[in-house]
Amino acid sequence: MAELPKINILYEDNHLLVVEKPVYMPVCEDESHDLDLLSVLKNYLKEKYQKPGNVYLGLVHRLDRPVGGVMVFARTSKAASRLSKEIVNHELEKVYLAVVEGEVLESGEMFDYLVKDQKKNQSYVTDKQHGKEARLHYKRLGYRNGFSLVEIHLETGRSHQIRVQFSSRGFPLVGDAKYNPHHDGKTSIALFAKKLSFYHPVTKEKLSFKLDVPKRYPFNLF
């Protein structure tokens, strides 16, 4: 068996596992059957604690395959249930960094109704009757070479939400193969899950995890 990749573990206890998801690794098994993060982490726990049989690891939120950054997994079903409730109650805070084409306003809010075409794995802006609410707010951290660096606070977690909402307003993400018509096929998507904050499902302590800005293009322009 090939050696499994090393994952950056940010925090670990009996209830939680917080990690940095690598770029281009799927979170869970998909039709590609490529190595996925959930399987790698289950194997890590199985080996570390020498657990027989299947290892439980609850998936409570996702990141798109090309996107890297902070993720939390639940090590018990009780923790999974409580974290899922935090997400529903908007108590789990997700902060992203993105580089978009054009000069966006210094700060703003985006509100749309989105619908997903499952066959195409693509989301679209639609009307209230057919879509689900998608809301975020952002601030511009810099502008250079025709690109804006933005910090995004997600209030809802719709599929491809950030990518669709910025693209629909004429500010597609650099390197976005699905929603940027100028994508060159070479650049990785400029979207990164920078920070995750939530309450510990058992101790109720507020936890916050933050990663450094990626050193790759186009983040390194700023």
Side-chain angles (χ1 to χ4, degrees):
M1 183 178 173
E3 189 176 339
L4 296 175
K6 274 207 150 187
I7 303 297
N8 182 16
I9 308 291
L10 305 176
Y11 177 85
E12 181 180 344
D13 65 14
N14 292 332
H15 312 281
L16 300 173
L17 188 59
V18 183
V19 306
E20 178 179 357
K21 174 194 172 294
V23 172
Y24 286 118
M25 179 180 278
V27 171
C28 53
E29 188 177 353
D30 60 16
E31 62 278 0
S32 73
H33 300 295
D34 290 340
L35 191 63
D36 65 278
L37 182 59
L38 193 61
S39 297
V40 171
L41 293 176
K42 283 183 177 181
N43 192 76
Y44 158 78
L45 292 171
K46 188 179 178 74
E47 287 192 354
K48 181 174 180 178
Y49 298 104
Q50 300 188 339
K51 286 178 172 283
N54 293 327
V55 173
Y56 177 86
L57 195 62
L59 179 63
V60 294
H61 70 118
R62 296 170 187 263
L63 287 177
D64 295 342
R65 178 173 179 145
V67 178
V70 192
M71 285 193 73
V72 58
F73 293 83
R75 291 193 57 196
T76 67
S77 56
K78 181 186 283 188
S81 173
R82 289 178 178 176
L83 285 172
S84 296
K85 194 173 285 186
E86 286 191 45
I87 291 170
V88 170
N89 295 335
H90 306 293
E91 293 169 336
L92 186 141
E93 182 190 10
K94 295 183 245 182
V95 181
Y96 293 77
L97 284 179
V99 180
V100 304
E101 293 185 359
E103 186 174 9
V104 298
L105 296 174
E106 287 189 3
S107 63
E109 184 179 26
M110 294 183 181
F111 178 79
D112 294 293
Y113 294 97
L114 300 184
V115 63
K116 185 172 184 181
D117 183 328
Q118 296 292 347
K119 284 184 180 176
K120 293 184 178 178
N121 189 28
Q122 200 154 340
S123 296
Y124 303 90
V125 175
T126 184
D127 55 30
K128 185 176 182 179
Q129 184 180 351
H130 298 97
K132 294 180 178 178
E133 283 190 13
R135 189 189 300 271
L136 61 80
H137 61 276
Y138 72 89
K139 62 180 178 181
R140 191 182 74 213
L141 302 179
Y143 176 69
R144 191 174 180 194
N145 294 5
F147 299 143
S148 297
L149 176 66
V150 289
E151 181 181 274
I152 301 157
H153 293 251
L154 265 189
E155 294 173 38
T156 55
R158 307 302 175 203
S159 180
H160 301 173
Q161 179 181 335
I162 293 170
R163 301 160 67 181
V164 177
Q165 290 194 284
F166 277 89
S167 177
S168 69
R169 289 163 172 80
F171 303 105
L173 272 65
V174 175
D176 190 344
K178 274 189 186 293
Y179 302 99
N180 186 342
H182 314 127
H183 175 54
D184 60 9
K186 300 171 188 171
T187 308
S188 299
I189 190 169
L191 181 61
F192 184 72
K194 165 189 167 183
K195 183 180 174 185
L196 197 61
S197 302
F198 54 90
Y199 294 98
H200 192 285
V202 176
T203 68
K204 307 303 180 189
E205 177 190 359
K206 183 72 179 279
L207 301 176
S208 191
F209 303 94
K210 186 177 177 181
L211 291 168
D212 293 334
V213 182
K215 293 180 170 61
R216 62 182 170 87
Y217 178 86
F219 293 104
N220 59 7
L221 293 175
F222 299 90

